[in-house]
Amino acid sequence: MKTICVDEQEITRQIVKDIEQDEIAKAVKKLRQQATNSNELLPAWLSKTADALENNDWGILSEDFINMNFIGKNGYFLIIGPYQINRQSQPKRALSAIYGKIHDNQEPSIEQLENLCREKFGKLSHSIPINLSFTEIASCGNVSGESGEAFIVPNGWYFSNIVCGPALNNAKEQQQRFLGSSRECILKVFEYETANLLLGPLEDELNGERYRHMDTQVHEAGHASGLGFDFKIKHNLFQNYTYGGVEEWRADSLGFEFAACILPAQEAGKLVAVNFCIRFGLDAHRLGGIEKDTDVYASLISLEYLFQNDAVYVTKNGQLALRNLTYPGLLEAVELHRTHALSLTRRELTLKSPTGFFPLYNVDIHPSTQSIFQGLVMERCQGIWTKLQ
């Protein structure tokens, strides 16, 4: 049985390699063989994937993806399809494949988060996408490596342009980024004690993956709050990078709020630390910069509210430092993030027309904040991220 499993995994790796080399006919043939012989992957999903590849008809995968009918025995899965990422305000779509194993991690529960959304805003416009953490076995395309996505959002897949379905969080790639280039950036941007506080949860060998998972799950709950992410996509409300940046910052900040409601302050503060490592250690350094990239702009907004809350200052050595070097203090540092995101979300629910979204999603950035962000965050880390797009 062990030999069969090893052989099956090798064949699945070969399928991913075939996709990477644009050997579609070979991939289709192996997918049909695996649909008959596989002990790990779901036969129906493999057959539909082969049909989708052969006929370029990706809509046939939509329903099974939304209902998570692509996860096989013991959590193994293979997803193949066009996946779109946005870099420097430009969409980039490529046929992509990801083969991995889902982790058994259900904290916090979707029910708990949905109840919180209703409590805060009186309604929930659509269900919260579940975040599935996984270990990658093989990948290619826009979901592979440092230049691809480690957090694979459902609306990136070209399955009838769906915005529903699970988000996939690549634990292996996330760890490599956090403990590699991201860690180096955090140590350059922040003074020593602040950097150690921020990196602590990610360097926790027992709980690091759990913290990363929880951070992305409360972030998804933030997106679902208010009008809801799918409503905004369907009405084309993210017409430029600034609107998308405000949405990302809003999801972050509501994630902080939800974490504060379901976790002790010590633990909630650790999720804030994880978020800051993502925003200031990774997202702030995307090549699009302040004037093109959604994630860079979200990081800039986060710094703006930290300054407004007097939670950070610039040291004599030109590094950023937190005034309160504790995890409960880190949660207090994002008090304005939480307050403004709650207000913004409640206001968007009162809009009479979707066009009211545009003036609402406008954040004033102080020129000094932008100057500090460019000089002490972006320029300081130039050259560290060599492949990030």
Side-chain angles (χ1 to χ4, degrees), residues 173-376:
E173 180 63 29
Q174 293 281 24
Q175 184 178 32
Q176 288 177 346
R177 293 183 182 189
F178 282 135
L179 300 183
S181 300
S182 180
R183 183 179 187 276
E184 188 176 349
C185 285
I186 293 298
L187 289 168
K188 282 183 175 291
V189 171
F190 295 94
E191 63 85 27
Y192 182 76
E193 290 185 348
T194 297
N196 282 342
L197 184 80
L198 297 178
L199 291 167
L202 296 173
E203 294 178 338
D204 184 332
E205 293 184 2
L206 292 177
N207 296 299
E209 183 184 316
R210 170 175 164 265
Y211 292 135
R212 289 196 300 271
H213 169 82
M214 293 182 70
D215 170 67
T216 54
Q217 188 62 78
V218 296
H219 178 88
E220 287 302 306
H223 276 311
S225 301
L227 293 174
F229 192 78
D230 61 348
F231 176 92
K232 295 167 186 174
I233 290 289
K234 289 174 182 176
H235 288 82
N236 192 30
L237 298 184
F238 301 132
Q239 294 183 7
N240 65 44
Y241 73 97
T242 62
Y243 300 133
V246 175
E247 172 66 17
E248 285 300 314
W249 166 83
R250 187 188 72 94
D252 285 349
S253 303
L254 291 180
F256 302 153
E257 176 69 16
F258 297 146
C261 292
I262 62 179
L263 295 170
Q266 178 78 4
E267 293 296 284
K270 290 179 180 180
L271 298 195
V272 177
V274 170
N275 176 273
F276 282 7
C277 285
I278 296 171
R279 290 303 184 196
F280 296 109
L282 170 63
D283 290 338
H285 313 292
R286 296 189 183 276
L287 294 180
I290 293 174
E291 297 177 351
K292 288 185 178 181
D293 194 280
T294 291
D295 290 313
V296 178
Y297 196 68
S299 307
L300 174 63
I301 298 172
S302 189
L303 183 61
E304 171 66 26
Y305 281 108
L306 285 173
F307 277 126
Q308 286 190 25
N309 201 34
D310 196 29
V312 296
Y313 65 96
V314 179
T315 69
K316 293 179 180 179
N317 293 327
Q319 290 179 297
L320 297 175
L322 287 163
R323 296 192 185 278
N324 188 330
L325 290 169
T326 66
Y327 291 113
L330 190 51
L331 185 61
E332 291 177 4
V334 295
E335 183 177 353
L336 273 185
H337 291 64
R338 295 159 57 189
T339 300
H340 284 264
L342 286 167
S343 174
L344 174 62
T345 305
R346 288 167 181 150
R347 289 170 64 194
E348 75 176 38
L349 284 169
T350 67
L351 293 175
K352 304 301 181 184
S353 168
T355 56
F357 169 90
F358 300 115
L360 186 61
Y361 268 53
N362 181 37
V363 175
D364 291 326
I365 305 295
H366 196 280
S368 64
T369 302
Q370 183 163 326
S371 177
I372 290 169
F373 186 82
Q374 288 177 310
L376 303 187

Side-chain angles (χ1 to χ4, degrees), residues 1-15 34 37-40 99:
M1 182 64 70
K2 182 176 181 181
T3 303
I4 293 174
C5 181
V6 170
D7 290 345
E8 181 175 341
Q9 290 195 7
E10 180 56 34
I11 293 171
T12 310
R13 287 190 181 95
Q14 290 174 13
I15 292 172
Q34 288 295 80
N37 302 320
S38 178
N39 291 312
E40 288 183 349
Y99 172 40

